């Protein structure tokens, strides 16, 4: 057979072409470099959908993870990292303890900063172990992927995509420092697009706009600093100097978990696809939960979760919350894995896990107590459940503000809130009809869409696999520097031309005037001399 | 019955509510204020689709039109205008004759300008006759529409929508002077978004960027002047001072006939929905055309049309074209209603009308000779047929440039082209495989979309009808003035603070220094005096 193939190179070429056509028809090959934690949970829904469409999915992840666990649905390529599961869990729990610890602002800031630094260092180290894993990288090189799907908030996937020369699709909620908008060349006016951590809405007064612009300044140097370890890693690995924005600019499609019932209207670029609510598909409620909901009577239930990553909170806080929950007639389903507070009222059921989205979808659900993570907030919106928000860190304060500004929830400061505050907030969102009306309106708008965001996400991943990228959506702005983009060189040139023209005109006028005066002077003088 | 209703106001209210719910379930009520000509042809496809979904469609149009004719599918409200059909047709034909007339640039420019002025005056007069038609306006006021669908390139519909306080959806290719982007607060950087009539691509060198910025300047005063008659009409009719941009800002959704395989990638706002290719749905080819195509043999056919609005061209030009068409082996189907040139070759069939899109869809179609109107170009792209473009006026030169820059067609200057040029262009796009490959690639990208643009357009019209607008897509930028939008006030304030701080710091330093020196001076002086 080999001889035949050698003898007839055309036959070999035709066979190879046939094979590649057949393999494409049977589905493409997708490399996935996910980010752990809640980021993984919504990406998995997309991967399930892509798997159902017949694509081969290879996931690269460290052996030590929170949620990314081996599954037979996908090819899992787990690579060793030096830390242990216990170290990682403890690291994250310590970070949460720091967040929830009371104390002076500076003290808390420094603690939280240290915690974030630890978590971030761990991620960089994990990325380094992936890139230096020669065997794994060789396997990836030989695998001939059609596309890379990754969450660029930790830019390890983009480095790998660049090395493999494979087009990439990003799946994300956002990148710190507005790097997502910088890398897509997407206009981002600070006059009405609120910056992270400002807790502003899109309608700002003068002082708020001043604050918004001031919050922009650290982006120009702090973020370079934050992403420096990845830039160093990438430069070493790729053998040439690159920055993280350089890498991000290569993405074909940005699947952004954004929707304008929740986020504020702003410009977007053609390769940014808004897929907020991508993970809101419902499954059947498990029997044990169905039973609890049905037994809740006319008052219905409250769903309470501070997110999949928060397993415990300080006992003092837990007691306050328990006391407040006892003051409402609803049954409360509280996802909590820490020690149960001793004053836990009868209407509160602690569970280690709950099907949050499916519980929220139940018509008996009256309110949702959440930490304001974007996944939870979208589930609240999808299911039209008014919210009490207790933001902890990251974008959660901004998310909470957005829900509150739409009149669809009440925000509490988790450090300062008392039992009474929680009780009052809960009673407000349950009994004051305006909260339900507002969240219902948002939900109606959100769900009235021409195509489900999950189908949209699947389409664009497949698009990039089919067409080897989406170059027709890449703006020419990528080929301009800052001065050119803002037309500063053109404006300077036109100004110079105008000024030069003015200068020459004035000089000419002066010259003419002088000539005239001189002539007059000359013609007059002789007359004068004559008269004398 | 009336007594019963009077006695029980609750019953009346309940009945009214029931009626309104039933009427909404049966479909909404849409007022359409279309623009005649080719603009109408694609809008009609959307109206047919909306009619099929059970909506009541009321179309308001002047009695004298080119293409908008009474049909039983829609409620047609035709209002009288003073001009006659002959006058209007002659007006437009004269305009086309001016466009095709040879002569000096200034001569042609003035003639074309005069022609456009005449056509534009006619449109303003038609709008005035609509707004002053009290009976018709009263009928519209009483009709309680759910939304207005209009093409704002002639902003009569927006005036009516404002008067009726009904949310509006715009269906358009664009508005002169970039008014569409101004009114949507959509960033429009002149550094890579080519301006109309420049014939630039999105990749411009320095001098092209200078030209692009210069072409922006007239927008600031010429366009105010052009839209002034509508502003005057609107201000009189609405009883308050309004400008055309004021009116356009009220639109809920902008359905823009734009797609990034044809237009260059640029920022868009959330309420701008790209629906390029909306009219490309195929119907069955009529038998007589099927017969012609089948009889064309291995060489296939060429489709030739200068658009639905061009009925004749100068005989000299027609002869040149006829001669060129004789030089290719393909059968040419030429839509032409003027006098047949005497040298018409055997392979050319003149027809008064042709099913352009369905002919282009036939696999035997080898090339498309078009004037470069956006509808035709989209049909060329949808059906992957390479083009020879002979642009006449308006956006056609820019459209032609775009197709050419993508390597999918050849542009000819209709005034200067010779028979040889036409023949060479035709042979190139038919025989040089790269044209077919390029248009095939564009077509593949264009057709690979998550939802058909017609369904997308229907969705958003229905969305606005269901939700009485789309306020969640309206950017807060509308509430800022130019200085605020660009943060100039904030920058000035921050600069002032920095400068003031610097000034105070310097003053303090100087003061301290002086005090130090003075003290030193004082302490030294006595020493000095002592030493003496």
């Amino acid at each position: 057979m080999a001889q035949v193939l050698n003898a007839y190179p055309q036959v070999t070429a035709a066979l190879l072409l046939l094979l590649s056509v057949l393999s494409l028809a049977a589905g493409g090959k997708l490399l996935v470099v996910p980010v752990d934690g809640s980021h993984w949970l919504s990406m998995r829904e997309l991967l399930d959908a892509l798997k159902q469409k017949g694509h081969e999915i290879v996931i690269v992840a460290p052996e030590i993870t929170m949620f990314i666990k081996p599954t037979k649905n996908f090819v899992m390529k787990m690579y060793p990292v030096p830390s242990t599961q216990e170290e990682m869990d403890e690291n994250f729990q310590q970070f949460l303890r720091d967040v929830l610890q009371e104390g002076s602002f500076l003290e808390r800031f420094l603690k939280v900063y240290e915690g974030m630094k630890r978590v971030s260092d761990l991620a960089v180290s994990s990325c380094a172990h992936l890139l230096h894993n020669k065997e794994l990288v060789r396997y990836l090189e030989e695998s001939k992927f059609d596309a890379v799907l990754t969450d660029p908030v930790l830019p390890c996937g983009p480095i790998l995509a660049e090395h493999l020369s494979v087009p990439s699709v990003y799946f994300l909620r956002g990148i710190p420092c507005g790097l997502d908008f910088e890398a897509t060349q997407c206009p981002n006016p600070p006059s009405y697009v609120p910056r992270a951590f400002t807790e502003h809405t899109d309608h700002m007064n003068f002082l708020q706009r001043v604050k918004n612009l001031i919050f922009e300044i650290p982006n120009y140097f702090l973020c370079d600093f934050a992403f420096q370890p990845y830039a160093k890693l990438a430069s070493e690995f790729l053998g040439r100097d690159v920055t993280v924005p350089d890498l991000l600019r290569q993405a074909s499609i940005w699947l952004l978990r954004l929707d304008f019932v929740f986020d504020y209207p702003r410009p977007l670029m053609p390769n940014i696809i808004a897929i907020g609510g991508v993970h809101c598909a419902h499954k059947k409620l498990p029997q044990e939960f169905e039973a609890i909901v049905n037994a809740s009577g006319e008052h219905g239930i409250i769903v309470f979760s501070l997110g999949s990553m928060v397993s415990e909170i300080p006992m003092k806080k837990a007691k306050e919350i328990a006391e407040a929950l006892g003051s409402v007639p609803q049954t409360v389903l509280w996802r909590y894995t820490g020690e149960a507070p001793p004053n836990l009222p009868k209407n509160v059921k602690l569970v280690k896990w709950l099907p949050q989205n499916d519980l929220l979808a139940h018509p008996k659900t009256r309110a949702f107590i959440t930490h304001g993570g974007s996944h939870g907030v979208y589930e609240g919106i999808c299911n039209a459940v008014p919210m009490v928000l207790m933001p902890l860190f990251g974008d959660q304060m901004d998310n909470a503000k957005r829900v509150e500004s739409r009149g669809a929830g009440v925000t509490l400061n988790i450090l300062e809130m008392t039992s009474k505050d929680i009780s009052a907030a809960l009673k407000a969102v349950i009994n004051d009809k305006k909260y339900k009306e507002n969240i219902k309106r948002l939900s109606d708008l959100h769900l009235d869409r021409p195509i489900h965001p999950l189908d949209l996400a699947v389409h664009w991943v497949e698009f990039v696999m089919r067409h080897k990228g989406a170059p027709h959506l890449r703006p020419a702005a990528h080929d301009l520097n800052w001065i050119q983009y803002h037309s500063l060189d053109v404006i300077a040139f036109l100004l110079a031309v105008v000024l030069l023209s003015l200068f020459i005109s004035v000089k000419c006028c002066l010259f003419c005037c002088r000539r005239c005066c001189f002539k007059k002077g000359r013609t007059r003088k002789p007359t004068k001399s004559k008269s004398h």
Side-chain angles (χ1 to χ4, degrees), chain A:
Chain A
M1 180 68 183
Q3 270 180 330
V4 174
L5 289 182
N6 283 335
Y8 300 97
Q10 296 93 332
V11 178
T12 325
L15 273 175
L16 281 174
L17 186 72
L18 187 69
L19 276 173
S20 85
V21 168
L22 282 176
S23 83
L24 263 176
K29 201 165 180 181
L30 184 70
L31 171 63
V32 181
V33 188
V35 165
D36 205 0
S38 61
H39 292 240
W40 165 247
L41 299 179
S42 56
M43 186 186 258
R44 202 179 47 193
E45 307 243 355
L46 172 58
L47 298 182
D48 284 336
L50 284 164
K51 173 78 192 168
Q52 277 186 5
K53 301 260 309 201
H55 302 294
E56 184 185 341
I57 293 167
V58 177
I59 298 175
V60 168
E63 276 171 5
I64 308 302
T65 61
M66 273 186 280
F67 297 132
I68 308 173
K69 300 294 168 200
T71 146
K72 58 183 177 182
N73 261 351
F74 316 121
V75 179
M76 302 292 288
K77 290 283 167 188
M78 316 292 275
Y79 57 88
V81 281
S83 54
T84 65
Q85 187 77 42
E86 290 69 34
E87 275 170 11
M88 198 196 61
D89 291 349
E90 174 49 28
N91 232 330
F92 194 75
Q93 289 315 318
Q94 183 56 44
F95 171 63
L96 284 175
R97 276 195 292 276
D98 294 341
V99 165
L100 287 166
Q101 194 188 35
E102 289 174 22
S104 75
F105 174 78
L106 190 70
E107 206 178 350
R108 289 187 59 238
F109 177 83
L110 288 175
K111 281 249 178 193
V112 170
Y113 173 78
E114 268 173 36
M116 281 185 67
K117 183 92 180 60
R118 273 199 310 276
V119 172
S120 157
D121 286 350
L122 219 64
V124 174
S125 149
S126 166
C127 181
H129 277 82
L130 162 56
L131 300 180
H132 295 152
N133 189 324
K134 286 194 178 157
E135 194 187 339
L136 179 54
V137 170
R138 198 176 316 118
Y139 161 82
L140 297 176
E141 285 165 354
E142 287 164 1
S143 291
K144 306 284 171 223
F145 291 102
D146 294 306
V148 172
L149 178 70
T150 185
D151 185 334
V153 73
L154 300 179
C156 203
I159 302 175
L160 214 48
E162 184 72 11
H163 173 72
L164 299 174
S165 300
V166 171
S168 51
V169 179
Y170 292 170
F171 180 92
L172 71 162
R173 169 73 193 152
I175 307 186
C177 316
L179 222 57
D180 34 2
F181 297 111
E182 187 194 325
T184 48
Q185 293 281 357
C186 185
N188 200 16
S191 52
Y192 74 97
V193 182
R195 294 301 184 255
F197 312 121
T198 56
E199 294 176 46
H200 288 160
T201 73
D202 55 347
H203 285 89
M204 295 175 252
N205 61 29
F206 178 74
L207 286 180
Q208 285 174 324
R209 287 194 292 116
V210 170
K211 181 179 162 194
N212 212 43
L213 201 70
I214 290 174
F215 268 61
E216 177 87 344
I217 297 168
N219 294 350
Y220 293 106
F221 52 92
L222 261 188
C223 290
D224 270 355
F225 179 72
F227 284 109
Q228 193 48 42
Y230 286 99
K232 195 164 163 267
L233 211 54
S235 301
E236 279 168 17
F237 184 64
L238 299 171
R240 60 189 164 87
D241 272 353
V242 284
T243 65
V244 170
D246 286 343
L247 290 171
L248 299 183
R249 268 182 217 116
Q250 303 305 321
S252 295
I253 293 287
W254 294 67
L255 300 172
L256 214 56
R257 294 199 302 275
L258 163 150
D259 187 285
F260 296 110
V261 298
F262 174 40
D263 299 291
Y264 301 113
R266 52 157 300 142
L268 291 181
M269 295 307 282
N271 63 343
I272 299 180
I273 312 292
I275 54 154
V278 68
H279 66 295
C280 271
H282 294 130
K283 295 171 196 81
K284 205 180 142 25
L285 204 56
Q287 220 170 354
E288 66 269 33
F289 287 100
E290 184 78 50
I292 296 173
V293 178
N294 287 338
S296 68
E298 55 163 337
H299 291 297
I301 66 157
I302 293 170
V303 179
F304 180 10
S305 168
L306 293 180
S308 49
M309 289 153 85
V310 177
S311 48
E312 57 180 321
I313 53 177
M315 183 51 84
K316 191 182 149 207
K317 205 89 299 183
K319 274 188 192 167
E320 274 171 2
I321 291 174
E323 190 185 330
L325 298 180
S327 72
V328 292
Q330 282 75 21
T331 302
V332 182
L333 272 162
W334 183 2
R335 184 211 161 272
Y336 189 60
T337 54
E339 192 188 337
N343 61 338
L344 199 72
K346 276 188 183 167
N347 64 326
V348 180
K349 298 195 191 307
L350 287 193
V351 287
K352 296 236 178 294
W353 172 86
L354 52 74
Q356 183 170 287
N357 188 41
D358 306 317
L359 275 173
L360 290 172
H362 201 286
K364 281 202 166 200
T365 304
R366 299 282 180 268
F368 177 29
I369 311 176
T370 169
H371 62 307
S374 67
H375 288 100
V377 171
Y378 270 114
E379 290 173 9
I381 292 172
C382 289
N383 300 299
V385 182
M387 293 169 246
V388 171
L389 302 120
M390 301 174 179
L392 299 168
F393 61 89
D395 63 346
Q396 295 163 10
M397 282 77 170
D398 289 318
N399 295 342
K401 185 71 196 173
R402 280 165 204 211
V403 175
E404 197 176 59
S405 76
R406 259 75 180 222
V410 173
T411 304
L412 295 173
N413 181 324
I414 200 160
L415 293 177
E416 294 170 8
M417 68 186 184
T418 64
S419 180
K420 267 191 190 163
D421 296 333
I422 306 168
S423 176
L426 261 182
K427 284 176 183 164
V429 301
I430 292 170
N431 301 324
D432 187 344
K433 279 185 183 168
K434 75 170 189 209
Y435 290 100
K436 181 69 188 177
E437 282 165 13
N438 286 332
I439 192 80
K440 183 77 179 67
R441 185 176 46 79
L442 292 183
S443 187
D444 287 347
L445 292 172
H446 175 63
L447 297 176
D448 192 352
R449 52 204 171 193
I451 178 169
H452 193 284
L454 187 58
D455 295 327
L456 200 58
V458 168
H459 168 84
W460 283 108
V461 174
E462 290 188 314
F463 185 100
V464 169
M465 289 165 85
R466 272 192 290 266
H467 303 283
K468 311 277 169 228
H472 69 302
L473 299 182
R474 186 176 175 81
H478 283 295
D479 305 320
L480 300 173
N481 62 35
W482 189 83
I483 290 177
Q484 291 169 328
Y485 178 91
H486 293 284
S487 297
L488 299 183
D489 52 348
V490 173
I491 292 169
F493 172 76
L494 289 178
L495 261 181
V497 169
V498 169
L499 289 178
L500 196 68
S501 314
L502 267 178
F503 178 75
I504 293 174
S505 309
V506 170
K507 276 282 173 194
C508 285
C509 283
L510 283 178
F511 180 74
C512 292
C513 287
R514 225 174 286 155
R515 284 289 290 246
C516 279
C517 293
F518 186 62
K519 265 191 180 169
K520 271 187 189 165
R522 263 211 322 209
T523 46
R524 227 181 287 157
K525 257 186 180 169
T527 329
K528 242 185 168 182
S529 69
K530 259 188 179 177
S531 70
H532 272 269

